[in-house]
Amino acid sequence: MKNYDCIIIYESIYKGNTKKIAEAMAHTIGCKIATAKEALNIDLSQYKTIGLGSGVYFGSHHPAIFAIVERMENSQQDTFIFSTRGNPMHGKYHKPIKEALLNKSKRIIGEFTVKGYDGTGPFLIFGGGNCGRPNEKDIEKAVKFIRTKLPKYCVTDYYKLIKNHLPVKDGTVNTYRYNHNNNSIIIKGDIVSINQNICIGCGKCTTVCPMNVIDIQSDKAIPLRELDCTLCSLCAINCKERAIYIHYSWKDAINVAKRHSGRNSL
Ligand SMILES: Cc1cc2nc3c(=O)[nH]c(=O)nc-3n(C[C@H](O)[C@H](O)[C@H](O)COP(=O)(O)O)c2cc1C
């Protein structure tokens, strides 16, 4: 019996490149994330899906990732592999870990790799290769990979399923009710939409938002001042429950600039 959906295990010894990818993936599905060392104390047989990733070091994943696979039971379980690498081409870097997983009867549901900053060897001569990687686009690709491979673990953005959205007014917040399998899902807000069923009222969003958009009322986060939002997404990124989704059109993005054009400071 597997009690948990997914765990992502990573080793990121060089520049934290793979850690960025692992964190984006884990945030997308709200799953547990652990370094290879931390994973040594976790019962991995409890997870339906295991993601394993690291930088590529001398043509292969980090030995700590192999050590994790070595400890796994020889039983059917879904896994996926990810990496960051210096070389432009992916080549056969995943082959050794794939073989190790297959030897443990694991099913590999997908593989993901992106470039990561590499200042080793000849790259150093010109200031390092892949500067700034993984970048925003790489992170988006990682999120897309997880959404595609593990849709069953993704939280639904119910706001997108609501047919008629109301105009956004200053100082108020629109509330929507969506019926899902006879459950009433309450969404508050249009630009900053907060799923009231998932929100636990921890208040993290209120502390990270630089614009004081959100208040906690009756143990739930309410985006009371949506028109102050600059679309920075800090609230959504920091919401462990993934109760917050940011929505905007290009017009909204331009309106942000218009509304805040008179400001000289926070
Ligand atoms: C010791 C060492 C060996 C590496 N070997 C390779 C390699 O064989 N192929 C490659 O594409 N990149 C190689 N790289 C570059 C890393 O894969 C790349 O920088 C990666 O993003 C590092 O991930 P991390 O910051 O998560 O550790 C190497 C880097 C280091 C430090």
Side-chain angles (χ1 to χ4, degrees):
M1 174 68 185
K2 309 236 181 293
N3 291 321
Y4 306 108
D5 286 338
C6 183
I7 183 167
I8 291 177
I9 301 167
Y10 71 93
E11 193 68 5
S12 185
I13 56 157
Y14 180 44
K15 294 284 175 183
N17 296 337
T18 319
K19 184 172 187 249
K20 285 184 197 153
I21 297 295
E23 284 175 345
M25 287 178 164
H27 185 261
T28 305
I29 47 173
C31 75
K32 191 171 176 64
I33 177 167
T35 61
K37 194 175 169 196
E38 288 161 349
L40 290 172
N41 298 318
I42 298 172
D43 178 4
L44 297 179
S45 66
Q46 295 286 307
Y47 290 86
K48 290 177 196 147
T49 308
I50 302 174
L52 293 159
S54 77
V56 170
Y57 317 103
F58 304 115
S60 183
H61 277 78
H62 192 277
I65 297 296
F66 283 89
I68 294 294
V69 177
E70 194 47 46
R71 284 180 66 249
M72 285 178 176
E73 285 175 0
N74 197 334
S75 64
Q76 284 198 348
Q77 206 169 16
D78 284 353
T79 61
F80 63 91
I81 303 164
F82 61 99
S83 66
T84 61
R85 61 180 204 279
N87 275 357
M89 301 306 285
H90 175 203
K92 293 182 175 161
Y93 290 152
H94 286 186
K95 197 169 174 245
I97 198 76
K98 257 163 106 173
E99 282 174 359
L101 285 166
L102 294 174
N103 278 339
K104 290 277 180 171
S105 311
K106 305 300 175 197
R107 194 167 80 100
I108 298 161
I109 59 165
E111 292 178 58
F112 180 83
T113 183
V114 282
K115 289 181 192 168
Y117 172 78
D118 186 2
T120 63
F123 287 114
L124 205 56
I125 300 163
F126 44 92
N130 310 328
C131 286
R133 306 287 293 271
N135 56 21
E136 291 276 316
K137 276 219 164 92
D138 297 320
I139 301 287
E140 270 173 34
K141 280 186 200 162
V143 168
K144 197 172 168 200
F145 168 82
I146 285 293
R147 281 195 201 283
T148 314
K149 293 292 171 189
L150 299 169
K152 55 188 183 229
Y153 302 154
C154 291
V155 172
T156 308
D157 181 359
Y158 287 101
Y159 180 84
K160 284 190 178 161
L161 304 179
I162 293 159
K163 293 240 163 60
N164 298 311
H165 295 124
L166 302 163
V168 184
K169 291 195 190 128
D170 205 2
T172 59
V173 60
N174 291 327
T175 301
Y176 304 96
R177 195 177 293 269
Y178 185 82
N179 202 344
H180 176 74
N181 293 342
N182 288 332
N183 278 334
S184 203
I185 313 279
I186 311 285
I187 308 292
K188 281 192 188 273
D190 293 78
I191 299 166
V192 183
S193 308
I194 307 185
N195 183 327
Q196 303 291 299
N197 298 53
I198 301 180
C199 174
I200 56 166
C202 70
K204 181 77 184 172
C205 52
T206 62
T207 54
V208 294
C209 174
M211 305 306 289
N212 193 27
V213 167
I214 304 168
D215 275 0
I216 301 291
Q217 287 182 356
S218 306
D219 288 336
K220 296 285 174 189
I222 321 278
L224 273 180
R225 290 166 292 276
E226 280 193 283
L227 288 179
D228 284 343
C229 176
T230 59
L231 310 174
C232 74
S233 294
L234 279 174
C235 55
I237 294 163
N238 283 284
C239 177
K240 286 220 162 65
E241 306 306 314
R242 291 169 307 137
I244 308 177
Y245 281 84
I246 307 293
H247 304 105
Y248 57 89
S249 63
W250 63 268
K251 265 189 191 164
D252 294 325
I254 289 171
N255 283 335
V256 168
K258 279 191 195 160
R259 280 199 295 272
H260 295 290
S261 58
R263 280 180 192 265
N264 292 320
S265 74
L266 266 180

